[in-house]
Amino acid sequence: MQRPGKCTTHTVEAETIHDQGTGAMNEDAVRVNGTLFGVFDGATSLNGKTFDSGATGGYLAATTAGDIFSRNDGPLMDLAHRANAAIRRRMLENGVDVTCKENLWSTSAAVGRIEGDRFHWVQSGDSPILAIYEDGSCDLLATGDDHDLETLKLWKETAASRTGSILDELKDQIRKVRSGMNITYGVMNGEAQAMDFLNHGSVSLEGIKHILLFTDGLFIPREDPEAGMDFKTLVSLFLAGGLQAVKHHVRSVEHTDLGCRRYPRFKTHDDMAAIALSFSSTGRRAAA
């Protein structure tokens, strides 16, 4: 005779943030559709062109990828392939020379889907996925390469002697980094090679209390670019007051350094996109 076993079902609550920084438009995107959740961080081409009545390439890359994922009608890796292809298609429709990396629209992505007692995810670029456990500890499920580290280190070393912004003063360095897309680091920009840099996986929800998906605008500002991301402070702030508490802390610190010199970064205030999934579980008896 079979003994009854125990399986667990999870209910989830989602908190989102979508906040514009100091740019002309918010190039981050948030998408939620049923069991699928995603954030996207667009990066405009270096030629500065706009499309569709003033939309930047970064905005179009992020929203195009987000719209494909939000259909939630296939495996996450298939959706990633379709999203990347859609970015390329839209660039070609808008007359973008896709043979030159400086012209390409691009976006990072952190997307997850709840399926039963598991969380499946796919990630590209530098938007992380962070799991917070019931005991308050945390673990990165996915994080991309810190491809801006070299640029931020250079800015930290030389900012005091410069009069302009990092975007003006370090144009050549920024162009050098951008030329490494899908060679030294991955982003979704329509290139077939973008798929080689996708991170993906699956994790049991047992013991997980929260999962955070967010763009780099939510990173805690750091004085030393080599110090690594301060996820401990981020988690403490989140557990105390949710995503709004993290946002308030980041914006407050940024406001003390409008010139981006003490805390090296590209903008006084970056765009933010974040989703916090909070789980509660209920046990039920089922046949083993």
Side-chain angles (χ1 to χ4, degrees):
M1 182 179 70
Q2 288 184 323
R3 294 181 178 275
K6 186 175 182 178
C7 63
T8 304
T9 59
H10 292 84
T11 58
V12 60
E13 293 183 1
E15 178 191 3
T16 64
I17 279 183
H18 190 219
D19 192 64
Q20 184 172 340
T22 49
M25 64 191 315
N26 194 340
E27 294 181 316
D28 286 8
V30 175
R31 293 292 185 272
V32 176
N33 182 12
T35 58
L36 183 138
F37 307 86
V39 297
F40 307 85
D41 184 356
T44 296
S45 56
L46 295 182
N47 61 28
K49 288 186 177 180
T50 58
F51 309 86
D52 296 352
S53 302
T56 66
Y59 170 85
L60 293 171
T63 54
T64 296
D67 290 346
I68 295 296
F69 272 102
S70 66
R71 294 176 184 176
N72 197 13
D73 60 355
L76 291 179
M77 288 294 286
D78 288 354
L79 290 172
H81 280 78
R82 287 159 52 189
N84 192 57
I87 292 171
R88 180 179 178 85
R89 185 167 59 250
R90 290 203 68 181
M91 286 191 293
L92 292 173
E93 291 170 352
N94 282 276
V96 175
D97 178 5
V98 297
T99 64
C100 177
K101 284 185 182 288
E102 292 186 13
N103 297 334
L104 299 180
W105 311 345
S106 64
T107 185
S108 70
V111 184
R113 181 160 56 203
I114 301 168
E115 297 181 14
D117 288 342
R118 298 193 68 81
F119 180 79
H120 300 263
W121 52 267
V122 63
Q123 185 267 353
S124 175
D126 57 1
S127 294
I129 303 174
L130 184 70
I132 304 174
Y133 299 96
E134 292 173 350
D135 63 2
S137 63
C138 66
D139 188 28
L140 281 170
L141 301 182
T143 185
D145 294 329
D146 190 359
H147 55 267
D148 290 322
L149 176 60
E150 181 181 346
T151 305
L152 295 178
K153 283 173 56 181
L154 181 59
W155 181 243
K156 180 69 174 180
E157 294 165 359
T158 64
S161 62
R162 299 177 183 269
T163 58
S165 71
I166 184 174
L167 297 175
D168 293 328
E169 297 280 346
L170 297 183
K171 283 182 178 179
D172 291 342
Q173 168 64 22
I174 293 170
R175 186 173 290 110
K176 170 189 168 185
V177 173
R178 193 68 66 92
S179 70
M181 289 190 298
N182 298 319
I183 297 174
T184 60
Y185 70 96
V187 289
M188 298 177 68
N189 65 355
E191 295 180 306
Q193 294 85 354
M195 299 300 97
D196 296 334
F197 288 85
L198 284 177
N199 299 307
H200 61 97
S202 173
V203 65
S204 169
L205 291 173
E206 287 302 314
I208 293 179
K209 188 64 176 177
H210 311 279
I211 292 178
L212 310 184
L213 307 94
F214 52 101
T215 61
D216 62 357
L218 202 71
F219 289 176
I220 305 298
R222 48 184 174 159
E223 294 188 50
D224 180 3
E226 295 186 272
M229 301 303 174
D230 187 2
F231 292 116
K232 182 178 180 180
T233 297
L234 190 151
V235 168
S236 295
L237 288 164
F238 172 77
L239 292 177
L243 290 177
Q244 287 295 332
V246 184
K247 170 189 166 182
H248 177 74
H249 176 81
V250 171
R251 292 299 193 225
S252 296
V253 173
E254 290 172 339
H255 194 70
T256 68
D257 179 39
L258 300 180
C260 306
R261 282 163 166 74
R262 180 177 178 183
Y263 302 97
R265 57 198 193 282
F266 293 97
K267 300 176 184 177
T268 301
H269 304 297
D270 199 1
D271 301 329
M272 289 181 180
I275 301 174
L277 305 177
S278 298
F279 300 95
S280 58
S281 59
T282 57
R284 60 183 174 84
R285 307 305 294 184

